[in-house]
Amino acid sequence: MKSGKISENVLKRSVLKQLQADQGKDIISGAAVGADCAIFKCSGTAGENLISSVNSAAGANVSDAAAAMEIAACVQESAVEGDLDVRRLIHRTVNSLACAGASPVAALISILYPESGEEETLRRLMAEIQNVCAGLSVAIVGGQTNVSADISTAHISVTGIGSEWQEALLKPGAARPGQDIVVSKWIGLEGTAVLAARGAQHLVSRYPRRLIEEAVSFERYLSVLPEAKAALRMGASALHDASEGGIFRALWELAESAGTGLRVELKKLPIRQETVEVCEFYRINPYELLSGGSLLMAIEDGNALVQALKREGIPAGVVGKITGDHDRVITNEDEIRFLERPGTDEIYKYMAQT
C-alpha cells in the first residue's frame, strides 16, 4: 500500500468493517469516515462527556544526533526538521479535539525509539513536546518509551484527551444542506512549512531567503483552537480540520460524513503566495497538500462568522455551500470538476524525490 493515510475504500473494507457495530451505551461517537475523535460518556459526572483523539508518525532519523539536529544554513534556527514534525503531530491531535467541540486537557505520549538513537536527542525531543503542550495548556499525564532494534527512526504516538466546551459538542456528519462553508487562514500551510524546512537548500537557488523563512514560519498558524471556539459560539454545526490530503480531502470528508454534497469556488480557497511558489518548485498540487492550520466550518451565516473571526485577527472566507444532493463540485469560473475520493497526500511526491 502507498504511504500516508489509507484510502477510504480500504478503511471501510478492511478496518471499519471489522469493528463491532454496537459500540456500547456509553459510546456517543466512535470510529467512522471523517471522524477523528471518540466521544464517550463519563460515568458519575453531571452530564459531562470526554473526547479522545490519537495521532502517530515516524520521526526524523536519529541514528546520528548531530545530523538529526542540523539546521539548513538558509533558514532561521527554529526550523529544525525533527522538531517541526513533533509540533505538527501535537497540533493535529489537539485540533481534532477542537473539531469535536472539546477543550484539550491532557496528552499521553508513546515513543518507540531506535537503538541507534542518542539520549541527548531523546531529551531534546521530550523538551520540545513539553514546550508545545504547555503552550496549548495541555498536561502530559503519561505514556511509554521503548527502544527497538527493528526501527531506524523514532515513532511517536500522541493521545489527546479533552472535555466538551460549554458551547456545544459536535458529532461527525452534522453539516446541513444550505449552510455556508467557511475556511480559516490559508490552505497548504502545514505542507508548505514542511517543504520549506526540508528543501530550503534547493529552494534558495530560485527564491529569496525571506520567502523561505516566511514559508517555514507557517508552523505558527497550525493551531485552529481560536477559530473553533469562535465558530462554536456562533452556532457552527460541523468543524473539520484540513490536515493530510489537503483541502480537497477535508471537503470530501465533510460532505461524506454528512451524506451531502457541496459546491465550492476554487478561487475563493485562500492560499499564500509562498505556498504557490514552493508547490510550483516541486510540481505539487497545493489543494491536496497537508493543510493543518486551516479549519472548515459549516454554519448558517458564514459572513457573520467571517466578520467575527476578523475581529479576532483570524483571516477567513466563505468558499461555498453544503448541498442536498451527493455531488461534490469545485467550480473555477465556467469550468466545473467533481471531487474524487481522496488519494495520497502530495507531500509523498516530495518524499519520493528525495
Side-chain angles (χ1 to χ4, degrees), residues 261-274:
L262 53 78
R263 192 175 185 89
V264 168
E265 294 184 45
L266 186 71
K267 289 188 176 180
K268 288 189 176 180
L269 292 172
I271 185 170
R272 290 282 296 261
Q273 188 61 33
E274 292 86 354

Side-chain angles (χ1 to χ4, degrees), residues 35 55 121 145 211:
N55 282 274
T121 307
T145 304
L211 183 145

Side-chain angles (χ1 to χ4, degrees), residues 75-76 78-79 84 87-88 91 95 185-197 210-224 227 270-279 286 289-294:
V75 296
Q76 71 270 34
S78 62
L84 177 58
R87 292 193 288 269
R88 289 171 45 224
H91 278 296
N95 287 348
K185 300 199 282 283
W186 306 274
I187 70 166
L189 290 170
E190 181 183 2
T192 303
V194 173
L195 291 170
R210 63 181 180 276
L211 183 145
I212 302 168
E213 291 177 344
E214 178 63 17
V216 173
S217 73
F218 282 177
E219 64 167 293
R220 69 186 187 274
Y221 295 121
L222 292 183
S223 175
V224 301
E227 53 259 54
I271 185 170
R272 290 282 296 261
Q273 188 61 33
E274 292 86 354
T275 298
V276 173
E277 302 291 356
V278 170
C279 287
L289 176 66
L290 293 169
S291 288
S294 185

Side-chain angles (χ1 to χ4, degrees), residues 58-69 82 111-122 125 151-156:
N61 193 311
V62 296
S63 59
D64 182 343
M69 294 187 287
I111 299 175
L112 188 60
Y113 205 65
E115 281 189 347
S116 57
E118 300 287 341
E119 182 179 349
E120 172 58 24
T121 307
L122 176 62
L125 178 66
I151 59 171
S152 60
T153 62
H155 291 249
I156 306 169

Side-chain angles (χ1 to χ4, degrees), residues 87-171:
R87 292 193 288 269
R88 289 171 45 224
L89 186 60
I90 295 169
H91 278 296
R92 188 176 297 185
T93 303
V94 171
N95 287 348
S96 294
L97 293 174
C99 289
S103 177
V105 175
L108 296 101
I109 311 295
S110 177
I111 299 175
L112 188 60
Y113 205 65
E115 281 189 347
S116 57
E118 300 287 341
E119 182 179 349
E120 172 58 24
T121 307
L122 176 62
R123 183 202 64 77
R124 176 178 175 150
L125 178 66
M126 284 307 305
E128 184 62 23
I129 290 173
Q130 171 58 38
N131 181 54
V132 177
C133 286
L136 295 167
S137 299
V138 172
I140 300 176
V141 296
Q144 191 175 56
T145 304
N146 289 318
V147 176
S148 172
D150 297 325
I151 59 171
S152 60
T153 62
H155 291 249
I156 306 169
S157 176
V158 179
T159 301
I161 301 171
S163 60
E164 61 182 298
W165 280 319
Q166 293 182 351
E167 287 84 357
L169 179 65
L170 301 182
K171 299 179 184 178

